[in-house]
Amino acid sequence: MNKNFYITTPIYYPSGKPHMGHAYSSIITDIFARFKRIEGYNVLFLTGTDEHGQKIEKEAKKNNKDPKIFCDELSDKFRSLTKILNLSNDDFIRTTEERHFQSVIEIWNRLIESGDIYLDKYSGWYSVSDEAFYDEDEIEELDGNKVARTSGSMVEWVEEESYFFKLSAWQTKLLNHYKNNKDFILPISRQNEVISFVEKGLKDLSISRTSFSWGIPVPKNKKHVIYVWLDALTNYISALNFPDVNHNKYKSFWPADIHIIGKDILRFHAIYWPAFLLAAKIDLPKRIFSHGWILSDEKKMSKSIGNILDPIEIVNKYGIDQLRYYLTKEVSLGNDGSISMENLKACINNDLANNYGNLCQRVFSFIKKNCKNKIPEGHNLTDNDLKLIKKTKEILPKLINFMNNQNLNEYVKTVVGLSFDANKYFNDSEPWKYSKTNVERMNTILFTITEQIKNLSILLSPIIPLSTKKVLDSINLNDKDIRVDTILKNNVLNHKKEIKETKILFKKIEDDN
Ligand code: MSP
């Protein structure tokens, strides 16, 4: 069985500071990457920045900066965001790197060789902000401006010589691929959207521009730069050392297992990218999963509306695990979801502070007081004790399935349910009643609940890795045991070493905070 797993985020335009939408794409991807690791896979998780194109060139000009220097500065902000969000990415690619340049040129040459590129003239609508071409029927008039209906971004009329990619020639092959690979595009609603768009007929795609210069020049015709999306999408293979197809990284990790993207960039990933790859005779990625938008005050975040939520501010105020957990729990993955500070506070208090956090703290301080700070062994477990632990083992395949189908909300709901059960078990079992009269019974309850804390911490570790690591460290669980299959094993707990002191895991948020 292939135990390699390759997962990617979109690469971000470093045209402004990172915002919550970017953080969301990255956090979701990180959760799946971390889960695959604890499932025992050798994971490659890629993120990075998309630095060419007219949008970046314009922003750099506005800031009186050379585009490369401008990108260096902003790309650094995205790179440091990976640390702030505690992402476990293995690589960070920039499209201005030499390794990427080589890949894009190779793709271009392959498309020329296969006869999929021709020179013509483009006249039509272009949105610099989306870096996308739009048809007449995708445009509407808003306050006297022409805008793209889906994104609301301004469009301008463009007429210039351009190389075209014969996208129309790939329509049937794409449709066949969608039909034969039912989970190539997920969720299903997005798959249907793509299929009906492709069924309506694909037009050839303009893949070069001449009216600006910030990009990778077209080989043998330096007047043109390669369209930023053809350039950007290639990042997923340039990070694997393509065109060196014998390179270990490429051989081990391509085709990618999953590209996580937002719904606004679905067309590029589900239509253009596979068409380019088919034409270049490269295998297609296995899955494209599109999430919805994070809405602030019910609207998509944008500079012009002024409703941008800054992830760094929230992390500084409430903590990274708190933000990661909240986004996972609150937003139904695949759909748009509104977030608010009020809900964030309630979520931290109810699910993290009062539930999982409080359980760990109560159990550990009880063990400290009554068991010389060591996890006791359990003997003669009652049906009720066994029920608590067995349930987790029994539903483990279901949980793994949820994660592997990006059903993150069901996963979290189920794990939080287990955590509520564990709290109830502890309260109902009343170990304090036995501290004088029946130490063996008290010990068994403490063993059972600690076993379940361990299981919950493993299951929550992809979502709240810092806090769960603190808990698992404090009970002396080895890093190598932070794995899904540890849940199925007995006797993993260390009864000899003392439990290490942990600071409060999740501070409760008071009203005025
Ligand atoms: N550079 C392209 C992607 C190229 S991938 C080969 C791009 N960059 S972006 O910076 O504009 O957006 C990157 C990601 O952030 C997209 O997945 C997009 O959906 C996501 N988000 C941007 N705003 C968002 C929200 N308000 N909510 C959720 N995610 C959104 O597109």
Side-chain angles (χ1 to χ4, degrees):
M1 191 172 125
N2 178 8
K3 276 280 192 181
N4 293 325
F5 189 84
Y6 181 30
I7 182 166
T8 63
T9 70
I11 48 170
Y12 303 100
Y13 289 129
S15 55
K17 288 199 306 184
H19 63 61
M20 193 60 89
H22 304 132
Y24 184 65
S25 284
S26 287
I27 288 173
I28 294 303
T29 311
D30 185 57
I31 291 172
F32 295 127
R34 285 179 185 270
F35 188 81
K36 284 316 271 188
R37 286 200 197 96
I38 64 166
E39 222 192 315
Y41 282 75
N42 175 27
V43 173
L44 180 70
F45 167 17
L46 177 71
T47 187
T49 42
D50 179 2
E51 307 187 7
H52 291 131
Q54 202 173 2
K55 175 178 170 128
I56 302 286
E57 191 183 81
K58 270 192 166 175
E59 264 329 292
K61 260 199 197 121
K62 228 166 70 190
N63 287 276
N64 278 325
K65 295 221 161 113
D66 165 80
K68 178 63 170 53
I69 294 171
F70 178 73
C71 286
D72 287 347
E73 288 170 8
L74 277 155
S75 178
D76 267 356
K77 289 209 168 27
F78 280 88
R79 200 188 284 269
S80 58
L81 187 71
T82 64
K83 304 280 175 289
I84 295 166
L85 300 178
N86 193 15
L87 304 185
S88 60
N89 58 299
D90 302 283
D91 197 353
F92 185 99
I93 189 152
R94 300 183 55 188
T95 54
T96 45
E97 287 173 61
E98 183 60 26
R99 59 172 169 163
H100 177 70
F101 189 91
Q102 295 305 336
S103 268
V104 176
I105 297 297
E106 171 73 13
I107 288 276
W108 181 276
N109 288 338
R110 285 193 184 201
L111 300 186
I112 291 275
E113 234 166 75
S114 65
D116 280 280
I117 291 181
Y118 62 92
L119 189 61
D120 203 343
K121 192 173 163 205
Y122 178 79
S123 49
W125 297 105
Y126 192 77
S127 155
V128 176
S129 158
D130 301 345
E131 295 284 18
F133 301 96
Y134 288 108
D135 282 341
E136 199 61 52
D137 63 353
E138 294 176 298
I139 301 301
E140 63 185 4
E141 186 117 3
L142 197 74
D143 305 327
N145 292 316
K146 298 269 191 195
V147 298
R149 194 167 303 147
T150 43
S151 63
S153 310
M154 291 248 277
V155 292
E156 58 193 47
W157 186 257
V158 170
E159 276 189 25
E160 59 190 44
E161 185 185 83
S162 172
Y163 284 96
F164 280 80
F165 171 70
K166 285 186 191 163
L167 185 62
S168 57
W170 294 97
Q171 181 171 340
T172 313
K173 287 226 166 63
L174 286 173
L175 286 170
N176 284 341
H177 189 77
Y178 304 146
K179 206 169 72 202
N180 298 332
N181 298 275
K182 293 280 184 223
D183 47 11
F184 178 60
I185 305 166
L186 287 178
I188 297 290
S189 55
R190 301 276 172 237
Q191 183 181 131
N192 294 338
E193 233 173 68
V194 170
I195 292 178
S196 64
F197 182 83
V198 177
E199 275 172 346
K200 273 194 232 135
L202 292 175
K203 284 200 193 136
D204 290 351
L205 178 71
S206 162
I207 50 162
S208 75
R209 304 287 314 273
T210 52
S211 48
F212 65 96
S213 61
W214 179 236
I216 300 182
V218 164
K220 301 195 187 129
N221 190 349
K222 306 284 178 244
K223 210 167 77 186
H224 290 250
V225 293
I226 295 177
Y227 176 39
V228 63
W229 273 99
L230 174 54
D231 169 343
L233 288 160
T234 306
N235 91 89
Y236 300 130
I237 50 176
S238 51
L240 303 180
N241 277 65
F242 180 85
D244 179 2
V245 292
N246 290 319
H247 194 280
N248 208 15
K249 258 194 177 169
Y250 186 82
K251 282 206 304 210
S252 310
F253 291 106
W254 193 259
D257 291 275
I258 186 162
H259 296 314
I260 302 281
I261 56 158
K263 65 175 186 180
D264 46 332
I265 55 175
L266 181 61
R267 204 181 282 183
F268 304 97
H269 283 81
I271 303 173
Y272 302 169
W273 181 224
F276 295 150
L277 290 171
L278 285 169
K281 299 185 181 56
I282 299 172
D283 288 342
L284 305 196
K286 293 178 200 151
R287 183 173 298 175
I288 287 146
F289 184 92
S290 145
H291 64 70
W293 282 338
I294 300 283
L295 306 177
S296 149
D297 305 325
E298 308 291 326
K299 293 191 198 82
K300 187 178 184 228
M301 274 174 273
S302 84
K303 268 196 225 166
S304 51
I305 307 178
N307 61 346
I308 300 223
L309 289 169
D310 180 351
I312 301 175
E313 256 173 44
I314 297 181
V315 170
N316 288 341
K317 198 158 172 187
Y318 300 110
I320 178 56
D321 276 1
Q322 286 81 342
L323 174 64
R324 290 172 64 108
Y325 182 82
Y326 174 62
L327 289 176
T328 314
K329 174 87 188 299
E330 187 79 358
V331 183
S332 151
L333 187 62
N335 299 319
D336 292 351
S338 262
I339 59 173
S340 77
M341 290 308 102
E342 270 323 294
N343 291 347
L344 170 70
K345 288 181 212 166
C347 182
I348 295 174
N349 289 346
N350 296 338
D351 286 23
L352 296 178
N354 293 345
N355 189 352
Y356 170 72
N358 188 36
L359 176 71
C360 299
Q361 233 96 35
R362 274 170 80 202
V363 171
F364 296 164
S365 52
F366 192 91
I367 292 178
K368 186 173 181 188
K369 244 202 212 137
N370 296 282
C371 312
K372 301 202 180 91
N373 206 19
K374 288 181 185 158
I375 304 164
E377 300 205 18
H379 297 288
N380 304 320
L381 272 70
T382 64
D383 285 350
N384 205 34
D385 303 332
L386 287 170
K387 200 170 110 193
L388 186 77
I389 302 172
K390 257 200 188 150
K391 186 171 169 191
T392 312
K393 294 192 204 288
E394 276 165 14
I395 60 173
L396 194 57
K398 206 161 118 187
L399 288 169
I400 295 175
N401 211 27
F402 284 152
M403 276 300 211
N404 287 331
N405 290 298
Q406 290 72 52
N407 199 343
L408 192 51
N409 302 88
E410 280 305 312
Y411 179 90
V412 179
K413 218 166 79 192
T414 312
V415 177
V416 173
L418 293 174
S419 178
F420 273 104
D421 291 349
N423 259 305
K424 183 165 179 345
Y425 165 88
F426 191 61
N427 290 340
D428 293 353
S429 304
E430 304 180 298
W432 41 90
K433 266 192 6 202
Y434 303 107
S435 63
K436 298 272 179 309
T437 53
N438 187 349
V439 173
E440 183 177 293
R441 178 69 202 136
M442 176 190 78
N443 284 347
T444 301
I445 296 167
L446 294 173
F447 163 78
T448 307
I449 192 69
T450 312
E451 182 72 20
Q452 190 59 357
I453 286 178
K454 175 208 75 194
N455 292 340
L456 289 170
S457 304
I458 292 174
L459 292 171
L460 287 171
S461 68
I463 302 166
I464 47 171
L466 280 182
S467 321
T468 51
K469 180 85 172 73
K470 275 191 213 157
V471 172
L472 293 167
D473 275 351
S474 72
I475 57 171
N476 300 297
L477 194 85
N478 293 322
D479 279 357
K480 70 171 178 38
D481 289 324
I482 308 183
R483 289 198 32 158
V484 168
D485 51 16
T486 300
I487 294 170
L488 300 173
K489 293 183 191 155
N490 298 321
N491 309 323
V492 181
L493 291 180
N494 188 323
H495 302 283
K496 296 206 174 79
K497 285 194 185 162
E498 283 195 25
I499 294 184
K500 291 180 204 121
E501 191 90 40
T502 44
K503 296 221 180 71
I504 291 208
L505 288 172
F506 305 102
K507 250 190 26 221
K508 265 180 111 161
I509 316 290
E510 305 301 338
D511 267 349
D512 49 349
N513 251 315

